[in-house]
Amino acid sequence: MKSVLNQLIQLQELNFAREEQKASNSKMPLTLLEKSIVEIRAQLPPDVADRYDRLQKRYPLAVVPLAHGGCSRCGLAVPAAVVNAAKAGDQLQHCPHCGRFLFFPDTVARQPKKKHDAGRPAAIGIARFSAASLMVPKLAASTREEVIHELAKVLDDGGFVEDAATVEELALRREAIVSTAVEHGLAFPHVRDVEGGGLTFAVGLKEKGVAFGAPNGHLSRIFFFIVIPTPATAFYLRLLAGLVRTFESSEARTALLDCKKPDEMWKTLTKLTRETSP
């Protein structure tokens, strides 16, 4: 049954990747992504596939992790027997309240229980999600793995996540499904289902560019590393759309890439996203 659960999780990730590409207005061909979705769905038992389809019509996420003895999406407690069975992985488990598929995560990314507000001068615009301390104007990284490692460490050092290694591992798992790089030298590596805290992102720049899986082998130069609590999943797509809309402009990209210091980068990002931040 663990293989069926893994297929469900992968199917959901592919569906979400498709929504990400739509939100980013990406011109990347969806053919291979759609083919993978069809193939994985066909491998599921018919009753499981039908239940997944019904759930997806009601919720953005149909397969969610357990957290603190309850469903991480509806927030209600589930019987201990369901938690134990999910941990054993012998049978598919469902939330008795919302009906979603439940799984016991082997690795969990967490944010500190006490919200870290240093560097967030105002809870408006982009300041709700990031801070000057999370700006990296000159990444040392030269590979996709190094970019993710460096930005995960920035989030950890700033107290915005609890374990950089876990965040890094989960982000690389996501990249293995399909790259988060889009056009215009942009990439949006991320981790979903983060426990606690709020949606937060770090930004790194690499003027020479990094091979991150963008269309036609183009290099990525601006990286938004985003950690996304489960309740913020749908809102993340709005943030993604706004950031892409901002940096479709070559002038906006140049203005950000020209920044030499974190404070300068933060002020530029704040100004550029004033009209597009959700």
Side-chain angles (χ1 to χ4, degrees):
M1 191 55 67
K2 287 184 179 180
S3 63
V4 174
L5 178 60
N6 288 336
Q7 288 169 342
L8 277 171
I9 293 172
Q10 188 174 4
L11 176 61
Q12 178 165 270
E13 288 296 332
L14 289 169
N15 276 312
F16 197 73
R18 180 174 57 188
E19 294 305 310
E20 289 171 348
Q21 290 199 14
K22 291 178 181 178
S24 65
N25 199 27
S26 175
K27 304 301 188 296
M28 293 176 69
L30 294 174
T31 307
L32 293 178
L33 194 54
E34 296 283 6
K35 181 180 179 182
S36 297
I37 290 172
V38 171
E39 289 177 349
I40 291 178
R41 189 190 180 285
Q43 295 171 21
L44 293 169
D47 60 325
V48 173
D50 289 344
R51 184 184 182 99
Y52 176 84
D53 290 343
R54 291 195 302 272
L55 286 167
Q56 271 236 310
K57 291 177 180 178
R58 297 171 58 193
Y59 309 118
L61 298 177
V63 190
V64 299
L66 286 157
H68 310 296
C71 172
S72 62
R73 196 61 189 96
C74 73
L76 297 176
V78 301
V82 172
V83 175
N84 292 333
K87 190 172 185 178
D90 296 328
Q91 293 182 327
L92 289 177
Q93 300 298 313
H94 311 98
C95 174
H97 310 288
C98 66
R100 292 177 174 91
F101 291 102
L102 298 173
F103 68 93
F104 194 89
D106 59 343
T107 305
V108 179
R110 294 185 176 89
Q111 290 182 306
K113 290 183 179 179
K114 183 177 180 180
K115 188 176 180 180
H116 184 93
D117 287 325
R120 299 192 184 200
I124 59 173
I126 215 73
R128 291 175 292 164
F129 316 114
S130 194
S133 61
L134 297 178
M135 303 292 106
V136 185
K138 190 176 181 179
L139 287 167
S142 58
T143 66
R144 177 179 65 179
E145 291 74 17
E146 290 173 352
V147 168
I148 288 173
H149 173 79
E150 193 168 344
L151 291 178
K153 187 175 185 305
V154 168
L155 286 161
D156 193 343
D157 289 347
F160 291 91
V161 296
E162 291 187 349
D163 183 352
T166 295
V167 171
E168 180 180 349
E169 177 187 345
L170 292 173
L172 289 173
R173 286 188 193 178
R174 170 60 184 80
E175 292 295 328
I177 296 173
V178 62
S179 174
T180 58
V182 296
E183 291 85 359
H184 309 303
L186 306 174
F188 297 88
H190 60 269
V191 176
R192 291 194 295 112
D193 296 329
V194 176
E195 288 188 4
L199 189 152
T200 308
F201 66 83
V203 187
L205 308 178
K206 185 71 173 182
E207 190 171 0
K208 290 184 178 180
V210 174
F212 213 85
N216 302 317
H218 292 166
L219 300 180
S220 301
R221 293 177 170 82
I222 303 176
F223 305 90
F224 295 85
F225 192 134
I226 311 174
V227 291
I228 312 162
T230 301
T233 295
F235 187 83
Y236 153 69
L237 294 175
R238 291 174 54 197
L239 175 66
L240 174 64
L243 290 171
V244 170
R245 191 159 63 251
T246 298
F247 292 101
E248 284 178 338
S249 161
S250 61
E251 291 82 3
R253 297 194 300 274
T254 298
L256 192 62
L257 286 165
D258 282 346
C259 295
K260 305 303 181 187
K261 297 180 179 180
D263 285 347
E264 179 189 3
M265 190 175 162
W266 175 243
K267 290 177 183 177
T268 301
L269 180 64
T270 302
K271 180 180 179 180
L272 291 171
T273 58
R274 192 166 294 153
E275 302 299 326
T276 56
S277 176

